[in-house]
Amino acid sequence: MSTLFLRTLREDPADAEVASHRLLVRAGYVRRVAPGVYSWLPLGYRVLRRVEAIVREEMERMGAQEVHFPALVPREIYETSGRWTDYGDLLFRLKDRKGADYLLAPTHEELFTLLVKGEYSSYKDYPVTLFQIQTKYRDEARPRAGILRGREFVMKDSYSFDLDDEGLAKSYADHRLAYQRMFERLGLDYRIVFAVSGAMGGSASEEFLAPTPSGEDSFVQCENCDYAANTEAVEIAVPAPVDAAEHPLMQVLDTPDTPTIATLVDHLNGLDLGRTFTGADTLKNLVLKTLAPGSTHWELLVVGVPGDRDVDLKRLQGQLEPAEVAQAEPADLAAQPRLVKGYIGPQILKELGIRYLVDPLVVPGSAWVTGANAPGRHAAAVVRGRDFEPDGEIGAVEIRDGDLCARCGGRLSIARGIEIGHIFQLGRKYATAFGLDALGPDAKPIHITMGSYGVGVSRAVAALAEQHSDELGLVWPSSVAPADVHLVAAGKDDQLAAAEKLATEFAAAGVSVLFDDRAGVSVGVKFKDAELIGVPVIVVVGRGLVDGLVEVRNRASGEREDVALDAVVAQVARQITI
Ligand code: ATP
Ligand code: MG
């Protein structure tokens, strides 16, 4: 440490919101260059490379082969897939000296597809899975939390190429297993959650989330069965459909000054309608607008949810992608004078040519109190399938703790996590765009089907720091720690000499050592640094030396033990190999 390129900080960086960011900066692992752009210093780079090595080993174990693509890619390739436009502002675009457009790749589906197309032609060549560990670029709207959400970051991305759906299912399952193994080895606590809902009919897609309160992704898990899904994909239990004929005819009511659900419910309960109303009896209609990729024209979209529920815009966004979605503004509403703010009902939307989607909680045949499209008026017994017919369903309500599982009816609870991996059955989108076919045994072309799979390698370092730290600093799992042992020599000459000798012996035993040999630094400061840096075993050569003893500390548990100087190398080496 007397020569190590390392300066720890006593103060938290001003811009740090989460523990991993704070600690990785304070412990001298990373330094900020620009928002979402970081340099790796020696200790940090060691951890990153150890994470990378585990990811690589597990990819190779499953039979994937490593390649490496450029990050700098010409526009044309991403035009073919449509992503030059679809990726929007997230894409870093640049021009070369001749004015040609380039981009810095956010992922590499296009290049992998083209590479395989260039080399392979026969069905006998398949299947194949390729991967790379590479720097990716995304102009994130909100680069956050240090390396957790970078604009430049390291990702392992892999792609499987199969002849049929069965092959794809196997490649997907192989990846799933490889990810389980790698996250296990990394020492990450993780959950596998559905990333697309069955209702959308999408092909399989799952995310690996590291649960932590500071995570950006919320996900939902069932307290009864093993169902877990991110909040974009979650499906909750809905009431059974109702026979529309059960309901009385629609009735328009005078409800002056009731533009909110609360004022409406109060008013309804003041009328003598023979029953009590709650927000859950009302249908709330939210006016949004969507922008299709490549289009400049925003289209109105109305979304209907039970009045006691909030709309989750992020959840909607996830399902409407790649279209953008936003709240309609007063100007958008002004162009549709029949939509009366506070009194909108779906009865006239077909006529107006406005797309209407309802949350699945608004089941077929259900009756609602909703706007009557006139100021101060609502309509009761407005029935889905009789008085209005939505253009489709979309999971729109904000999921709440206690919503019910669509699988088993158990209670759902909400937690937060960091997305560390994603596996996804892409299907034939890219094979179609790039004409990736294999010549079949009957000389007919077979359309290749693909999977795409990502691991956030640099993000995993942050996720590990998030899960493995305490108020004193980092606490690395031994599989990724920057060293096996942090050796602290107290100030006296004989202590330093004994520690020096120990350091050599550790190295000879294959134990990597971070040796604090700094002169003129108090032992208190050395301990503080050791705790901050987070190597799992701390060996202290100090006062006990006169009795032939050194102290072995477990950074995670805080346990301390005196061990004979001549036995400590063997003991620690044994601990580490377990
Ligand atoms: P997010 O929802 O967090 O923006 P994503 O779903 O867009 O991520 P993918 O395209 O699935 O990300 O990328 C694969 C993996 O790369 C993710 O699971 C994540 O671990 C990692 N990753 C994505 N964006 C970033 C980023 N900005 N910084 C660090 N890692 C990232
Ligand atoms: Mg993802």
Side-chain angles (χ1 to χ4, degrees):
M1 281 182 75
S2 59
T3 54
L4 182 64
F5 188 65
L6 169 72
R7 289 292 175 267
T8 56
L9 310 175
R10 289 289 157 249
E11 300 293 325
D12 289 336
D15 61 337
E17 302 162 24
V18 299
S20 60
H21 184 193
R22 225 169 46 228
L23 293 172
L24 288 169
V25 171
R26 275 190 49 205
Y29 282 64
V30 298
R31 288 289 178 262
R32 180 179 177 278
V33 173
V37 182
Y38 282 78
S39 306
W40 294 87
L41 278 57
L43 291 181
Y45 200 47
R46 281 178 83 118
V47 174
L48 179 69
R49 279 181 307 170
R50 292 195 77 181
V51 171
E52 223 179 272
I54 290 174
V55 171
R56 178 176 289 112
E57 276 171 33
E58 291 304 332
M59 290 312 295
E60 290 183 337
R61 169 136 76 132
M62 68 155 278
Q65 301 172 56
E66 187 166 8
V67 295
H68 202 76
F69 284 106
L72 183 65
V73 191
R75 167 180 179 163
E76 291 69 39
I77 297 178
Y78 280 63
E79 286 279 12
T80 307
S81 64
R83 289 213 297 173
W84 177 263
T85 341
D86 286 359
Y87 238 81
D89 288 341
L90 214 55
L91 203 59
F92 272 108
R93 301 151 206 264
L94 58 158
K95 283 190 193 297
D96 71 6
R97 63 170 77 206
K98 293 183 184 141
D101 283 320
Y102 280 79
L103 62 96
L104 296 174
T107 53
H108 282 79
E109 280 81 350
E110 290 82 354
L111 291 169
F112 276 86
T113 311
L114 280 172
L115 185 70
V116 172
K117 181 181 154 98
E119 307 302 312
Y120 277 8
S121 55
S122 160
Y123 74 97
K124 292 180 195 153
D125 298 328
Y126 291 90
V128 65
T129 295
L130 302 175
F131 79 99
Q132 65 172 344
I133 296 177
Q134 219 243 20
T135 305
K136 301 278 194 249
Y137 297 85
R138 295 184 184 179
D139 197 357
E140 300 277 358
R142 223 181 131 241
R144 178 184 165 263
I147 55 168
L148 206 51
R149 177 172 299 281
R151 294 197 297 164
E152 172 177 306
F153 58 97
V154 181
M155 190 200 287
K156 183 286 299 174
D157 53 332
S158 49
Y159 304 86
S160 62
F161 299 84
D162 280 280
L163 295 169
D164 51 31
D165 293 352
E166 227 166 62
L168 173 56
K170 176 166 187 317
S171 297
Y172 183 88
D174 289 350
H175 269 91
R176 200 172 191 272
L177 183 62
Y179 279 28
Q180 287 173 294
R181 286 183 168 143
M182 77 180 65
F183 293 135
E184 192 81 32
R185 282 181 64 190
L186 288 173
L188 272 169
D189 176 24
Y190 68 92
R191 303 277 182 286
I192 305 178
V193 312
F194 287 105
V196 292
S197 60
M200 284 174 58
S203 33
S205 171
E206 286 164 299
E207 286 169 358
F208 289 69
L209 299 184
T212 151
S214 61
E216 273 191 316
D217 291 41
S218 32
F219 68 102
V220 171
Q221 46 191 347
C222 179
E223 290 172 2
N224 181 50
C225 72
D226 62 2
Y227 178 74
N230 71 23
T231 35
E232 277 123 61
V234 64
E235 291 173 64
I236 58 176
V238 297
V242 186
D243 182 359
E246 272 179 20
H247 304 292
L249 287 183
M250 180 167 86
Q251 185 191 2
V252 175
L253 306 168
D254 270 324
T255 55
D257 298 325
T258 56
T260 64
I261 300 294
T263 50
L264 172 63
V265 166
D266 277 351
H267 183 89
L268 290 173
N269 288 329
L271 301 176
D272 194 14
L273 293 172
R275 58 167 288 203
T276 334
F277 289 86
T278 71
D281 300 311
T282 68
L283 177 64
K284 179 160 81 181
N285 298 292
L286 197 72
V287 188
L288 305 169
K289 53 181 179 176
T290 61
L291 183 66
S295 164
T296 51
H297 176 67
W298 288 87
E299 269 184 56
L300 285 189
L301 164 70
V302 178
V303 171
V305 300
D308 63 330
R309 308 286 306 224
D310 288 326
V311 168
D312 183 342
L313 216 54
K314 206 175 153 228
R315 190 172 171 217
L316 282 177
Q317 244 149 20
Q319 296 168 84
L320 292 168
E321 258 168 23
E324 280 178 59
V325 52
Q327 303 252 22
E329 283 155 51
D332 304 309
L333 286 169
Q336 284 288 357
R338 291 190 63 197
L339 296 183
V340 184
K341 195 170 180 310
Y343 301 93
I344 296 170
Q347 303 86 310
I348 57 164
L349 295 176
K350 270 249 149 70
E351 214 179 299
L352 298 178
I354 298 174
R355 188 168 164 219
Y356 185 53
L357 300 174
V358 293
D359 186 272
L361 286 169
V362 183
V363 299
S366 53
W368 303 88
V369 178
T370 192
N373 301 300
R377 311 200 83 190
H378 280 90
V382 183
V383 174
R384 173 172 171 187
R386 184 186 75 185
D387 305 313
F388 70 93
E389 189 60 75
D391 298 303
E393 294 187 346
I394 188 163
V397 300
E398 194 173 281
I399 303 297
R400 299 195 287 225
D401 267 320
D403 274 335
L404 301 180
C405 175
R407 297 275 164 92
C408 75
R411 252 183 69 95
L412 296 174
S413 63
I414 302 175
R416 300 192 75 81
I418 298 167
E419 180 185 327
I420 45 173
H422 191 173
I423 53 178
F424 181 46
Q425 295 192 4
L426 260 179
R428 297 183 171 82
K429 173 179 169 189
Y430 289 88
T432 305
F434 291 97
L436 175 62
D437 291 325
L439 209 56
D442 54 2
K444 284 198 189 125
I446 301 170
H447 221 32
I448 296 300
T449 181
M450 290 169 59
S452 106
Y453 316 89
V455 170
V457 175
S458 50
R459 179 179 285 184
V461 174
L464 279 162
E466 211 53 55
Q467 285 186 346
H468 298 272
S469 55
D470 58 22
E471 63 289 347
L472 301 173
L474 298 157
V475 191
W476 296 108
S478 54
S479 60
V480 298
D484 296 322
V485 168
H486 190 127
L487 179 61
V488 175
K492 298 214 177 91
D493 283 349
D494 60 329
Q495 293 164 336
L496 192 63
E500 197 106 33
K501 191 159 161 282
L502 261 191
T504 316
E505 288 170 16
F506 271 127
V511 176
S512 65
V513 186
L514 178 60
F515 178 25
D516 196 345
D517 60 342
R518 290 176 294 176
V521 173
S522 80
V523 75
V525 167
K526 288 184 177 182
F527 287 155
K528 277 222 152 43
D529 277 341
E531 280 154 352
L532 180 61
I533 289 167
V535 171
V537 180
I538 301 168
V539 174
V540 185
V541 182
R543 241 178 266 136
L545 186 66
V546 288
D547 304 314
L549 294 174
V550 296
E551 189 182 81
V552 178
R553 295 185 182 183
N554 180 316
R555 172 64 183 90
S557 67
E559 278 167 319
R560 302 172 180 202
E561 184 192 359
D562 284 331
V563 177
L565 180 63
D566 54 10
V568 70
V569 172
Q571 175 174 326
V572 170
R574 210 166 40 243
Q575 256 175 34
I576 283 161
T577 49
I578 298 171

